[in-house]
Amino acid sequence: MVSRVIPVDPFDLVIFGGTGDLARRKILPGLFRRFIAGQMPEGSRIIGAARSEHDDAEYREVARAAIEEFGGEEKKDPALQDFLGRLHYVAIDATGEGGWSQLSGLMRDGVVRAFYFSVAPSLFGPLAERLHQHRIADGDSRIVVEKPFGRDLESAKALNATLASHFDERQIYRIDHYLGKETVQNLMAIRFGNVLFEPLWNSHYVDHIQITVAETVGVGGRGAYYDKSGAMRDMVQNHLMQLLCLIAMEPPAQFEADAVRDEKLKVIRALQPVDAHHIVRGQYDAGEDSPSYRQDSENPRSFTESFVAMRVMIANWRWAGVPFYLRTGKKLKARSSEIAVVFKDLGHSMFEGDEARHRNILSIRLQPNEGIDLQVTIKEPGPGGMRLVDVPLDMTFADALGPDGEDVPDAYERLIMDVIRGNQTLFMRGDEVEAAWAWTDPIIEGWERRADVPKLYEQGTGGPEDAQMLIHRDGRRWRDIKG
Ligand code: NAD
């Protein structure tokens, strides 16, 4: 079962890095699901372009194997053969001349042209340049750029400048797959499509907000890359920052790309600098049978953080005095991502013996089981007076929306279709990315200057003890990390 179909125009999607991990794991299986859903109109093609030599038939086998390995239920769908027939391949050298005239020869007029840069960031510039030089991209073409978008403000500015010399901002789609998640968009629907929440969405009623992105995996396998990055660059600057923006932004006048992105940008610009007292870095220690971060990253003297927790304040009228607690890390207790809006306690309880400690909590789960749950207070059933209990009103999207619980498209497939439609609402604009780095850079520079040593934490926990203290000091506590 796949989601309802909104028609798109015929397209040619070129996937640079079409044989790579991301293409095999996410992009190709996602495109197949869209094909089954009828969102790949007659005449649309997918063209893999990567370094290795393949012909079309071999690339189709690469795609078939990827869908079999990483696809869900759809891999049994008889449409697979037809889908594979839409695939083509060109061997290309992103930094040289090989393959470009062949790719140019494949391009057609009258269809949407989209180019997905699913390659290492060092190749984004060379690809943009060659697409331009060989006149493969026209004024309506779109490019999709993967993360990481720079490693600091300076490199992000340089990358923006390179892309801008060949493409207009309206042609550039900087992907953050968190924004493609059903729940994240639902966050906007909940806030701006209901009368119930928005009036309470401010410092008068909200006590604090928690954003958690917890993983159980370590960095094994990509340790060399991660060690130059760390949780702050890899997760906070992009994913957590985007979630924070959607929670905190003012209502845009329309649900339209620049209106939404203008509001997100204002949030980033209103973030206060974070001092060392309000941030905790951690690194996972060796477990009984599992290696430490330093072993996984093969850097015995690494000071890179695999965990970060912080208290962030937004200096504007709506959020003055409301802490946003962010945390993300690897090798934690469970794989779980959640945004929790914790409302203030009741001012007074009329029920005898009740301590007025009941709290409404709106929790938005990104994984697992995307959904929303609202903690409300009710009477405990049964005789014997008014005893109050807090219970969740739970809406798990898979149960609520799909007859067989699978009607939620994956973030990548949704975002790719947005590219084809020319809708940039769920993509980051260049100035947003730069503003996020401008806020993150001083924090990272502070660590580097002080040669800050991350606190070791035990695997399978909620991170270092100091992260608990960070929030306990304010008389609050983290929500449990539940898988
Ligand atoms: P990968 O190393 O698995 O694949 C790289 C691809 O680039 C291959 O197809 C390779 O043939 C091609 N390539 C390399 N050098 C080339 C050249 N000179 N000319 C032409 N093609 C060349 O990488 P990946 O994991 O698929 O990641 C791709 C991008 O996506 C990176 O920017 C990465 O940061 C980002 N990303 C990946 C994931 C993931 O889950 N893998 C998640 C988020 C973001």
Side-chain angles (χ1 to χ4, degrees), residues 325-344:
Y325 298 98
L326 317 186
R327 69 182 158 163
T328 180
K330 298 197 176 289
K331 291 268 186 186
L332 296 181
K333 199 171 155 189
R335 175 171 177 263
S336 158
S337 301
E338 182 203 61
I339 300 166
V341 180
V342 182
F343 290 93
K344 289 189 170 167

Side-chain angles (χ1 to χ4, degrees), residues 222-476:
R222 59 192 280 264
Y225 158 78
Y226 190 92
D227 204 47
K228 293 195 190 69
S229 167
M232 192 72 182
R233 287 191 172 99
D234 193 49
M235 297 298 292
V236 177
Q237 185 274 344
N238 39 46
H239 306 314
L240 275 81
M241 187 64 58
Q242 289 295 317
L243 299 179
L244 174 90
C245 284
L246 293 179
I247 284 276
M249 71 182 180
E250 295 300 314
Q254 300 100 25
F255 188 56
E256 181 272 317
D258 277 333
V260 171
R261 299 187 299 177
D262 287 345
E263 296 307 336
K264 281 160 57 193
L265 181 61
K266 285 185 209 162
V267 173
I268 304 176
R269 289 192 173 149
L271 293 176
Q272 289 185 349
V274 182
D275 59 48
H277 189 57
H278 290 118
I279 189 158
V280 175
R281 300 169 78 220
Q283 197 183 71
Y284 59 83
D285 205 350
E288 236 169 65
D289 302 311
S290 58
S292 67
Y293 173 84
R294 288 182 170 190
Q295 288 164 322
D296 271 346
S297 65
E298 294 179 14
N299 178 0
R301 301 159 67 121
S302 175
F303 285 170
T304 302
E305 77 284 355
S306 61
F307 174 96
V308 64
M310 61 204 307
R311 192 184 92 161
V312 176
M313 304 298 287
I314 302 175
N316 67 15
W317 195 281
R318 184 187 286 260
W319 295 116
V322 179
F324 285 67
Y325 298 98
L326 317 186
R327 69 182 158 163
T328 180
K330 298 197 176 289
K331 291 268 186 186
L332 296 181
K333 199 171 155 189
R335 175 171 177 263
S336 158
S337 301
E338 182 203 61
I339 300 166
V341 180
V342 182
F343 290 93
K344 289 189 170 167
D345 288 344
L346 287 178
H348 161 77
S349 177
M350 64 183 224
F351 304 106
E352 204 184 342
D354 187 56
E355 288 170 8
R357 293 290 297 170
H358 301 290
R359 287 200 151 175
N360 295 121
I361 300 175
L362 179 68
S363 102
I364 298 133
R365 292 188 307 272
L366 308 182
Q367 64 190 23
N369 310 324
E370 284 195 65
I372 286 180
D373 130 350
L374 177 65
Q375 180 176 295
V376 292
T377 302
I378 60 163
K379 176 186 168 298
E380 199 176 282
M386 284 291 264
R387 287 185 308 274
L388 304 185
V389 285
D390 296 331
V391 294
L393 287 179
D394 183 348
M395 190 176 91
T396 301
F397 295 152
D399 298 340
L401 302 180
D404 59 4
E406 282 195 15
D407 199 15
V408 181
D410 176 73
Y412 278 93
E413 58 191 89
R414 175 195 307 277
L415 292 173
I416 293 171
M417 286 301 125
D418 278 356
V419 174
I420 306 297
R421 285 190 205 100
N423 183 351
Q424 290 185 303
T425 311
L426 299 175
F427 295 83
M428 294 178 292
R429 207 168 54 193
D431 51 2
E432 264 184 84
V433 179
E434 289 183 14
W437 280 123
W439 179 77
T440 321
D441 272 4
I443 300 172
I444 299 173
E445 280 160 18
W447 294 337
E448 286 171 356
R449 213 176 29 248
R450 296 193 303 273
D452 188 77
V453 184
K455 305 274 186 269
L456 286 179
Y457 61 92
E458 196 183 329
Q459 297 185 20
T461 65
E465 199 51 41
D466 289 29
Q468 304 299 328
M469 289 311 298
L470 173 87
I471 191 165
H472 286 178
R473 273 202 308 263
D474 295 347
R476 302 184 175 97

Side-chain angles (χ1 to χ4, degrees), residues 16-26 49-52 89 92-96 116-121 123-124 127 146-148 175 177 222 225 239 412:
F16 291 112
T19 57
D21 181 67
L22 182 67
R24 288 182 300 111
R25 196 181 287 277
K26 293 287 179 188
R51 203 162 35 179
S52 39
Y89 187 80
I92 210 137
D93 182 1
T95 52
Y116 198 131
F117 292 9
S118 181
V119 292
L123 300 180
F124 295 169
L127 284 179
E146 260 301 330
K147 84 167 216 191
I175 210 160
H177 70 275
R222 59 192 280 264
Y225 158 78
H239 306 314
Y412 278 93

